Amino acid sequence: MVGMDDKHNLAIIVGSVREGRFGPVVSSWVADQARAHGGFDVNVVDLAQVEIPLALPAAPPKFAGDGYLRPDGMAALTSALEAADAFIVVTPEYNHSYPASLKAAIDWHFTQWTAKPVAFVSYGGAAGGRHAVLHLENVLTELHAVTIRDGLAFPNYFTAWQDGRPLDAEASGYAKTLLDQLAWWAGVLRSARETAPYPA
């Protein structure tokens, strides 16, 4: 059993802000799996509750550093990303990619992602959101995050879920694999960040 002092701060990001979205259902189940795992303190971050403008300041956050100006309505998001040791991004697939809300939230930040692990849970049609995840892996690697190989994908989610849970009996086992890997990377990378600054 993981001790309280060994738990990692996990931010589960609800990527969709679309009307009638399914993301909160998936995120709630993922959060339950993460709490049951025992290795994380879980914080669900819903982008629908965050002010995320598409217009960005002239200087990117990589170069602006602590002086980067963000809207007041983004403060809670920034704090949650900063405090996190690990992330799970829950994303649908829109036109073979991920939502603009998620891209904007990522682009408003830089150091908050650096040298931290990110896992993905996706949902969609036949591909289960995997196209969105492939694009996210490229973006977050550019921000020096470490993406986790074993994710969760839910094809045809509209028939594959019932009463807030996936019908696939093996889904919880797949979630445990994801969370085990995420916890390992979270511990390794947190120790590394505490030992020496990451050379970004």
Side-chain angles (χ1 to χ4, degrees):
M1 177 62 70
V2 178
M4 288 298 293
D5 292 340
D6 297 321
K7 287 191 175 185
H8 308 295
N9 292 324
L10 171 63
I12 298 175
I13 301 172
V14 187
S16 173
V17 301
R18 182 179 240 167
E19 183 178 349
R21 64 207 170 119
F22 193 67
V25 176
V26 180
S27 301
S28 178
W29 179 82
V30 171
D32 287 344
Q33 300 299 305
R35 293 185 186 103
H37 179 273
F40 302 96
D41 286 322
V42 179
N43 180 21
V44 177
V45 180
D46 189 345
L47 296 187
Q49 299 174 1
V50 181
E51 177 187 352
I52 312 176
L54 295 181
L56 297 164
K62 178 178 180 178
F63 301 114
D66 293 339
Y68 192 65
L69 296 178
R70 298 183 179 91
D72 291 341
M74 196 178 292
L77 171 62
T78 301
S79 295
L81 298 182
E82 187 71 45
D85 298 308
F87 305 98
I88 295 177
V89 176
V90 177
T91 183
E93 182 176 312
Y94 296 165
N95 300 319
H96 275 213
S97 195
Y98 56 94
S101 51
L102 192 47
K103 185 62 162 68
I106 292 170
D107 287 347
W108 272 100
H109 301 87
F110 185 82
T111 57
Q112 291 79 12
W113 308 106
T114 300
K116 295 180 182 180
V118 186
F120 303 97
V121 177
S122 62
Y123 58 97
R130 281 296 301 164
H131 298 104
V133 171
L134 289 172
H135 291 178
L136 280 165
E137 287 173 338
N138 284 334
V139 170
L140 287 161
T141 296
E142 176 65 17
L143 299 179
H144 298 269
V146 175
T147 59
I148 305 302
R149 178 192 178 278
D150 286 10
L152 279 170
F154 293 102
N156 301 321
Y157 69 90
F158 31 83
T159 58
W161 285 65
Q162 185 175 341
D163 299 326
R165 301 180 61 83
L167 294 175
D168 184 352
E170 297 184 6
S172 292
Y174 295 139
K176 184 180 184 305
T177 297
L178 178 156
L179 291 162
D180 284 345
Q181 293 180 5
L182 191 63
W184 188 90
W185 277 108
V188 168
L189 291 173
R190 183 171 70 180
S191 295
R193 292 194 309 274
E194 290 171 351
T195 300
Y198 180 76

